[in-house]
Amino acid sequence: MPLLTHSLLSLVLLPALAWGLAALWIQAPGGHWLRLVWMGLWAASVCAGLASLWIQHRYAVPARWALAAAAVLLAGWWISLTPSNHRDWADDVARSLTGSAQGAVVTLHNVRNFDWRSTTDYTVRWQDASYNLDTLQSVDMALSYWMGPAIAHTLVSFGFADGRHLVFSVEIRKERHESFSTVGGFFKQFERSIVAAEERDILYVRAGPRGERLFLYPIRMPQAAMRQLFLAYVDSANRLADTPKFYNTVTANCTTLVYDMVRPIVPGLPMDIRLILSGYLPEYLYRHGGLDTRQPLDVLRARADITQRAAQAGPAADFSQRIRQAD
C-alpha cells in the first residue's frame, strides 16, 4: 500500500512542479533573476518532498512540511492574481466596449475603426454607433489563420441592410509591452476583451499588415437567432466592463466563448475538440448545418478565402463590399 500511495503522490507532484515553474516564470514579480529564485525554491521544495516519499531519513518529515508550506504559499499567491480593467493597455484594446438597447436599436460605445498602415503605424479612431436589429440581414464567421491549419482566430460579423458590417472579436487585452503568448494564456497573463470593430479595421489588419490567411463563411441562422447572438455579445461586453476576467487559451478563448453564447440559442449544440482546434471549425459547422450543405465543404472553403481581396482592398470605405465580390 505505501508503494501505491507514494506512486500516486509522485504522479501528482510532478505535474504540480511543472505547473508551478511555468506560473512563476510567467507571473512572479521582481524581474528575471528574482523569478528564477522563486522557481528554484519551488523546485527544491517539490524535489525534497518527492525524495521524502522514497528515501526515509531524519529530514523526511521537515521536507514534507516545507513542501506543504510552499504549496500553500504558491496557491495563495496564485489566488491573489486578479484581473483588472485599469492597466496601460495597447492602443487596439485600450477602451472597453459597452452598449445599450432601446427597442430594436442598440447603441454601442467604443467601436474600433482604426486606419492601419502597418502593425505599428495606424490612426486611432474610436466611435459610438447605433444599429437597428430589425435590419440585421446576415452573420458571417471569419477565421484568421496565424499558426498552422489547426489554430485560427474566430470573429463574427453582422451585416445590416444599409451595407454596414460590424465584427465582434473575443481577444486578449494585452498591455502595451505585451505580445500574445499561447502559454501565457494558461497562466493569467492576459485579461479578456470583447472588441467591436468595422470590417475595414479588424479584418484588414489581419489579412494585410499581419499577413494572416483570412476566410469568411456565411452562417445559416434565423434572423431571431442573429439578434440574440448580437445582444449576447453586447451583454458579455457590458459584464466585462463591470467585472474584468482573465482570458484562458482553452476554457475562455475566442471560440469557446462564442460557443457559450450560441448554445442557449441553438440547444443541443455539442462540445467538440474543434472548438479548441478552431482552424477546423468549418467542418464542425458544416456537420451541424451552420454552413450551406448543398455545396461540398471544399467548394465553400475556396469561396471563403478572402485573403487576397482583403489585403488589396486596404482600409477602404467600401472594404466590406470588395471582400464579398467574386474573383
Side-chain angles (χ1 to χ4, degrees), residues 218-286:
I219 301 299
R220 298 174 62 185
M221 182 177 285
Q223 212 269 353
M226 296 181 195
R227 292 173 65 120
Q228 285 180 267
L229 182 57
F230 190 101
L231 292 171
Y233 268 110
V234 176
D235 179 64
S236 296
N238 285 336
R239 285 188 279 112
L240 274 183
D242 291 335
T243 307
K245 295 182 180 298
F246 283 118
Y247 178 94
N248 185 280
T249 300
V250 171
T251 61
N253 60 41
C254 63
T255 306
T256 57
L257 292 174
V258 177
Y259 171 79
D260 289 341
M261 288 185 275
V262 172
R263 187 170 51 180
I265 302 170
V266 186
L269 197 63
M271 283 293 292
D272 193 289
I273 189 60
R274 288 168 290 195
L275 297 170
I276 306 300
L277 302 177
S278 49
Y280 302 125
L281 265 180
E283 287 86 346
Y284 175 83
L285 292 171
Y286 191 83

Side-chain angles (χ1 to χ4, degrees), residues 27-269:
Q27 288 282 44
H32 176 79
W33 292 108
L34 191 52
R35 283 202 303 269
L36 292 177
V37 171
W38 297 128
M39 292 169 67
L41 290 172
W42 172 243
S45 299
V46 174
C47 290
L50 278 169
S52 73
L53 295 175
W54 300 102
I55 303 172
Q56 296 302 315
H57 53 79
R58 60 177 176 170
Y59 299 113
V61 173
R64 293 171 190 174
W65 278 110
L67 173 58
V72 168
L73 290 172
L74 182 68
W77 163 75
W78 182 253
I79 293 169
S80 74
L81 299 177
T82 55
S84 173
N85 278 332
H86 305 290
R87 304 192 194 278
D88 184 19
W89 303 115
D91 290 335
D92 58 336
V93 289
R95 298 194 185 185
S96 296
L97 173 70
T98 59
S100 58
Q102 179 124 19
V105 177
V106 177
T107 300
L108 299 180
H109 305 285
N110 297 321
V111 174
R112 206 180 77 194
N113 190 15
F114 284 22
D115 286 324
W116 295 92
R117 292 171 290 276
S118 73
T119 55
T120 57
D121 180 17
Y122 47 82
T123 300
V124 174
R125 186 187 300 112
W126 298 91
Q127 60 194 33
D128 295 344
S130 295
Y131 301 87
N132 188 335
L133 298 187
D134 286 340
T135 68
L136 184 55
Q137 291 186 329
S138 64
V139 171
D140 297 316
M141 178 187 70
L143 289 176
S144 187
Y145 290 80
W146 52 275
M147 197 175 75
I151 303 298
H153 183 73
T154 306
L155 310 93
V156 177
S157 180
F158 294 84
F160 293 84
D162 60 5
R164 291 188 298 168
H165 291 264
L166 181 73
V167 180
F168 287 99
S169 176
V170 178
E171 304 196 358
I172 64 167
R173 196 174 192 188
K174 60 184 181 296
E175 296 177 57
R176 195 171 297 278
H177 65 278
E178 291 180 322
S179 58
F180 179 75
S181 164
T182 302
V183 176
F186 286 102
F187 294 99
K188 297 185 178 181
Q189 185 175 357
F190 308 111
E191 275 80 3
R192 190 189 312 168
S193 175
I194 293 181
V195 174
E198 298 286 332
E199 284 188 336
R200 63 181 293 277
D201 167 341
I202 201 165
L203 296 188
Y204 168 66
V205 71
R206 290 182 173 274
R210 295 186 188 177
E212 299 175 8
R213 195 170 183 194
L214 187 65
F215 291 76
L216 190 67
Y217 293 90
I219 301 299
R220 298 174 62 185
M221 182 177 285
Q223 212 269 353
M226 296 181 195
R227 292 173 65 120
Q228 285 180 267
L229 182 57
F230 190 101
L231 292 171
Y233 268 110
V234 176
D235 179 64
S236 296
N238 285 336
R239 285 188 279 112
L240 274 183
D242 291 335
T243 307
K245 295 182 180 298
F246 283 118
Y247 178 94
N248 185 280
T249 300
V250 171
T251 61
N253 60 41
C254 63
T255 306
T256 57
L257 292 174
V258 177
Y259 171 79
D260 289 341
M261 288 185 275
V262 172
R263 187 170 51 180
I265 302 170
V266 186
L269 197 63

